[in-house]
Amino acid sequence: LLLTGLLAVSLMAKNAAVDSAAKLAKEGKHDEAIAALDAEYKKSPKAAEVKTALISTLMGKGDSLMNDPNVPPRMKYPGALRAYRRVVELDPANAKAKSQISTIEGIYKSMGRPVPQ
């Protein structure tokens, strides 16, 4: 019974971190949400819910940067590229992130500029 209680508390704590990060992301506070999820992921790298939330939040950050007409390209592309690359680190099969990386790298190459690392 004690073990079940501890497991429930542990699961609630993870859910709370994920829920809190989801609220931050909805408010457009992607960096804060990513920082919170990163900390949780480092504590529990096998927690699928945390990893999924981190990937989703990183994609959200990349997508919001790419789709925001008020963010200038010099700020948009490097930030989105970092977010999408991190998604691919966590989920090597993520086709959308790979496609976005390819698009951004193509933009840099077409301008004759070095691709940010």
Side-chain angles (χ1 to χ4, degrees), residues 9-23:
V9 168
S10 169
L11 290 174
M12 282 190 292
K14 284 185 181 110
N15 290 344
V18 170
D19 290 346
S20 173
K23 287 177 188 151

Side-chain angles (χ1 to χ4, degrees), residues 38 41 51 54-55 58 85-93:
D38 260 337
Y41 182 69
K51 184 176 181 179
L54 180 55
I55 289 168
L58 286 160
R85 284 177 174 161
R86 182 80 197 286
V87 168
V88 172
E89 282 175 25
L90 295 165
D91 178 11

Side-chain angles (χ1 to χ4, degrees), residues 9-63:
V9 168
S10 169
L11 290 174
M12 282 190 292
K14 284 185 181 110
N15 290 344
V18 170
D19 290 346
S20 173
K23 287 177 188 151
L24 287 168
K26 279 183 185 164
E27 294 169 7
K29 299 176 182 175
H30 292 101
D31 290 333
E32 289 177 46
I34 290 166
L37 289 167
D38 260 337
E40 194 64 29
Y41 182 69
K42 284 179 179 132
K43 285 190 241 169
S44 308
K46 293 188 190 311
E49 182 182 17
V50 174
K51 184 176 181 179
T52 300
L54 180 55
I55 289 168
S56 175
T57 305
L58 286 160
M59 285 298 296
K61 177 181 179 176
D63 293 347

Side-chain angles (χ1 to χ4, degrees), residues 56-117:
S56 175
T57 305
L58 286 160
M59 285 298 296
K61 177 181 179 176
D63 293 347
S64 76
L65 283 169
M66 290 297 288
N67 297 320
D68 188 339
N70 298 315
V71 177
R74 65 184 164 74
M75 295 175 67
K76 173 185 298 207
Y77 299 132
L81 192 55
R82 277 191 299 277
Y84 293 132
R85 284 177 174 161
R86 182 80 197 286
V87 168
V88 172
E89 282 175 25
L90 295 165
D91 178 11
N94 191 305
K96 182 178 179 201
K98 286 180 178 180
S99 173
Q100 291 293 73
I101 290 168
S102 179
T103 297
I104 296 167
E105 288 177 347
I107 290 167
Y108 276 97
K109 288 173 186 167
S110 74
M111 293 187 305
R113 301 195 62 200
V115 177
Q117 293 308 311

